[in-house]
């Protein structure tokens, strides 16, 4: 009887990158390029992902910047870019963005997923450890203290009086040094909503449904949080959008700004409950670009490109890319494709004067309100990003999320020719036509 050999496990992108990184480091130390064998490679790859992530902890020795190279300013014998007095902006390499504390953090905000009892044991365990072991001031939502399930837990009763609560986001400004999220992507979006200006560093644990923005596993959370508190962590600066609604005054002229919100994922303008198509005018830097006729329009950040936008047919953009994505929702035109514009432009969206109905706007799925004729919505990139702490680094975390959460490019492996029994026994001179005749 023929013994079937077990097929070797396919290695992921992050595992291959880990192997290359470890190989280079050990070769330099040992002074021998061949000192790291295949057996050690397989042993490292079979370790738990958390162990390998802690080993690297964002210290991958990169030799190239994630930013594009500075372009050459001379074109041919005569042409060159004209010098001007505009200030040149220096952009830091995203791969070198690392967290540092200029003083030890003493306060932490813990945000947990609501209406999910499975999050309560990790929440109690984390909060107790932060208070008793790290001697930190822990802030939670006021509704947490009123949770009937927590109120009956003896472990929570011991620390209940040592927790701090807050009223809203304005009550937290300049009081929080560090944020820990327990849940899914919604907890990170809620943290962004609470801080409409500067945002403390956020460490997100995956205890929710999807977890695209939550790279940390809760196992061994003590060591992971300790590493962050000691400043051993890489950062991904997730850009946000500043959205300002200007209402029409009674005289028909633009009035004062009534709403200004910062969003992490996207701002959506749609037709709401109306059966008619949306008719929305889109301006970029004051120039009328197009009129959107369809179900609506999505303006998203690179972080939001993997949310509503990707479901509407947009491309996925790495969060370190400075850009704004504009995606139509079910446009009444086959040629209306999503576009990407520079991060610094200002967009203006308004209801077209010829529109049969008004429009509705929502910000990260919240604060939904109606846009009337004469109202306008201005959108541009905010100067206040969300500093998201990486489990490994900016590249590995993103591609791991694509593979694990969205199953990006997952398909059955194409068989090798040697695995096809009908071709393996045929001669190299056989053709498909001859095989058809023989059959």
């Amino acid at each position: 009887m023929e013994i079937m050999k077990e097929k070797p496990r396919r290695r992921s992108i992050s595992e291959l990158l880990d192997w290359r990184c470890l190989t280079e480091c050990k070769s330099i130390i040992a002074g021998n390029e061949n000192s790291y064998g295949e057996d050690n490679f397989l042993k490292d790859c079979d370790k738990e992902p958390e162990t390998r992530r802690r080993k690297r902890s964002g210290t991958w020795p990169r030799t190239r910047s994630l930013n594009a190279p500075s372009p050459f300013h001379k074109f041919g014998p005569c042409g060159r870019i004209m010098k001007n007095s505009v200030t040149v902006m220096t952009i830091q390499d995203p791969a070198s963005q690392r967290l540092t504390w200029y003083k030890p953090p003493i306060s932490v905000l813990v945000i947990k997923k609501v209406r999910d009892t499975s999050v309560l044991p990790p929440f109690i365990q984390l909060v107790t450890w932060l208070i008793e072991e790290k001697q930190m001031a822990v802030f939670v939502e006021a509704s947490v203290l009123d949770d009937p399930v927590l109120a009956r837990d003896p472990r929570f009763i011991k620390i209940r009086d040592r927790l701090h609560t807050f009223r809203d986001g304005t009550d937290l400004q300049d009081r929080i040094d560090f944020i820990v999220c327990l849940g899914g992507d919604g907890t990170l979006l809620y943290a962004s909503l609470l801080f409409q200006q500067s945002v403390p560093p956020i460490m997100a644990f995956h205890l929710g449904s999807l977890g695209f923005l939550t790279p940390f596993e809760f196992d061994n959370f003590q060591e992971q949080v300790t590493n962050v508190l000691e400043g051993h962590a890489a950062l991904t600066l997730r850009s946000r959008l500043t959205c300002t609604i200007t209402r029409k005054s009674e005289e028909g002229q633009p009035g004062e700004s009534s709403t200004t919100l910062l969003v992490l994922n996207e701002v959506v303008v749609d037709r709401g409950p109306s059966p008619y198509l949306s008719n929305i005018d889109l301006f970029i830097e004051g120039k009328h670009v197009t009129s959107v006729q369809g179900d609506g329009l999505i303006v998203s950040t690179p972080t939001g490109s993997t949310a509503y936008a990707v479901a509407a047919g947009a491309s996925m953009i790495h969060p370190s890319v400075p850009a704004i994505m504009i995606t139509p929702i079910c446009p009444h035109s086959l040629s209306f494709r999503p576009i990407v514009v520079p991060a610094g432009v200002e967009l203006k969206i308004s209801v077209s004067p010829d529109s049969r109905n008004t429009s509705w706007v929502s910000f990260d799925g919240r604060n939904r309100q109606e846009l009337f004729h004469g109202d306008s919505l201005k959108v541009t990139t905010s100067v206040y990003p969300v500093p998201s702490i990486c489990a490994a680094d900016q590249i590995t975390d993103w591609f791991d999320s694509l593979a694990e959460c969205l199953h990006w490019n997952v398909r059955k492996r194409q068989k090798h020719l040697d695995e096809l029994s009908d071709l393996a026994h045929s001669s190299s001179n056989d053709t498909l036509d001859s095989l058809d005749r023989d059959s």
Side-chain angles (χ1 to χ4, degrees):
M1 182 178 63
E2 183 180 359
I3 300 176
M4 298 296 293
K5 293 184 178 180
E6 182 181 359
K7 293 184 179 180
R9 183 170 66 90
R10 298 181 64 189
R11 309 297 173 183
S12 65
I13 295 176
S14 61
E15 290 174 332
L16 295 176
L17 293 177
D18 286 341
W19 170 71
R20 187 176 68 178
C21 173
L22 290 170
T23 303
E24 293 175 355
C25 293
K26 292 192 176 184
S27 297
I28 293 174
I29 295 174
N32 184 4
E33 296 182 355
N34 298 322
S35 61
Y36 200 74
E38 181 180 0
D39 293 339
N40 292 330
F41 161 57
L42 295 176
K43 291 179 182 178
D44 278 345
C45 287
D46 289 333
K47 290 181 180 179
E48 293 295 327
E50 293 78 17
T51 304
R52 291 184 287 105
R53 286 178 176 178
R54 290 196 303 273
K55 183 184 297 184
R56 291 182 55 194
S57 186
T59 57
W60 183 16
R62 296 187 57 85
T63 59
R64 294 176 58 90
S65 169
L66 292 182
N67 293 322
S70 180
F72 197 63
H73 290 182
K74 295 181 180 179
F75 315 111
C78 303
R80 65 189 61 195
I81 296 178
M82 180 178 66
K83 295 183 179 180
N84 54 59
S85 59
V86 177
T87 302
V88 177
M89 180 176 62
T90 302
I91 302 177
Q92 184 183 13
D93 175 21
S96 66
Q97 293 169 350
R98 299 190 57 79
L99 176 63
T100 183
W101 308 98
Y102 69 89
K103 62 180 181 179
I106 59 175
S107 60
V108 56
L109 170 63
V110 179
I111 301 175
K112 72 174 185 66
K113 185 179 181 181
V114 297
R115 296 185 295 274
D116 189 351
T117 56
S118 65
V119 181
L120 298 183
F123 170 75
I124 296 175
Q125 188 179 1
L126 172 66
V127 170
T128 303
W129 181 77
L130 289 172
I131 293 175
E132 297 180 352
E133 298 294 332
K134 294 300 181 181
Q135 306 297 319
M136 300 187 73
V138 178
F139 287 75
V140 297
E141 298 177 83
S143 60
V144 171
L145 302 183
D146 301 328
D147 191 314
V149 179
L150 287 175
R152 296 191 298 267
D153 194 306
R155 298 172 300 172
F156 182 74
I157 295 175
K158 294 180 181 179
I159 60 171
R160 184 181 187 279
D161 295 335
R162 302 173 66 178
L163 297 175
H164 304 267
T165 59
F166 60 94
R167 294 186 302 272
D168 52 31
T170 58
D171 194 33
L172 292 175
Q173 293 295 335
D174 300 325
R175 299 180 63 187
I176 302 299
D177 300 326
F178 179 47
I179 300 175
V180 177
C181 293
L182 302 177
D185 296 346
T187 57
L188 194 68
L189 294 175
Y190 180 62
S192 171
L193 177 66
L194 289 176
F195 295 86
Q196 289 292 293
Q197 292 184 3
S198 178
V199 185
I202 299 179
M203 185 177 189
F205 287 92
H206 175 39
L207 294 172
S209 302
L210 185 63
F212 194 91
L213 305 179
T214 54
F216 288 93
E217 299 292 337
F218 193 74
D219 297 337
N220 197 25
F221 74 91
Q222 298 93 337
E223 181 178 348
Q224 298 181 81
V225 175
T226 300
N227 286 337
V228 172
L229 295 178
E230 293 176 353
H232 305 309
L235 284 177
T236 295
L237 298 184
R238 300 184 180 274
S239 63
R240 294 194 289 179
L241 298 176
T242 299
C243 308
T244 304
I245 293 181
T246 303
R247 298 294 183 181
K248 181 183 66 173
S249 63
E250 295 180 358
E251 293 78 14
Q253 300 297 324
E256 296 183 356
S257 300
S258 60
T259 303
T260 299
L261 287 172
L262 270 63
V263 299
L264 176 59
N265 266 355
E266 72 276 308
V267 53
V268 179
V269 182
D270 58 68
R271 60 191 177 99
S274 174
Y276 298 112
L277 291 174
S278 290
N279 197 343
I280 305 169
D281 289 335
L282 174 63
F283 300 81
I284 298 181
E285 292 294 306
K287 175 181 173 57
H288 181 263
V289 176
T290 188
S291 292
V292 182
Q293 296 185 85
D295 282 353
L297 189 69
I298 305 170
V299 180
S300 61
T301 63
T303 297
S305 68
T306 52
Y308 192 1
V310 74
S315 296
M316 295 180 288
I317 304 177
H318 189 276
S320 295
V321 177
I324 298 176
M325 172 161 281
I326 303 172
T327 307
I329 306 174
C330 298
H332 208 250
S333 171
L334 295 178
S335 61
F336 196 171
R337 308 308 303 160
I339 60 174
V340 178
V341 296
V345 303
E346 182 182 72
L347 309 181
K348 178 183 174 183
I349 301 170
S350 60
V351 180
S352 176
D354 301 330
S355 178
R356 298 182 180 182
N357 57 312
T358 60
S359 295
W360 289 77
V361 58
S362 60
F363 307 90
D364 276 345
R366 297 172 179 262
N367 300 298
R368 187 170 174 82
Q369 50 193 290
E370 193 170 4
L371 276 183
F372 300 94
H373 290 81
D375 298 342
S376 64
L377 169 67
K378 292 185 178 180
V379 182
T380 190
T381 301
S382 171
V383 297
Y384 299 108
V386 172
S388 178
I389 298 174
C390 301
D393 57 61
Q394 295 89 343
I395 300 298
T396 302
D397 280 11
W398 194 65
F399 277 101
D400 283 350
S401 295
L402 289 182
E404 297 171 10
C405 301
L406 300 184
H407 300 290
W408 176 62
N409 196 30
V410 174
R411 71 179 298 273
K412 290 185 176 179
R413 185 179 63 88
Q414 186 183 39
K415 293 183 178 180
H416 190 270
L417 289 178
D418 293 339
E419 299 180 62
L420 301 177
S421 57
D422 56 339
L423 294 180
H425 301 292
S426 63
S427 64
S428 59
N429 295 328
D430 288 339
T431 63
L432 293 178
D433 292 338
S434 61
L435 291 175
D436 290 339
R437 287 194 301 269
D438 294 340
S439 61

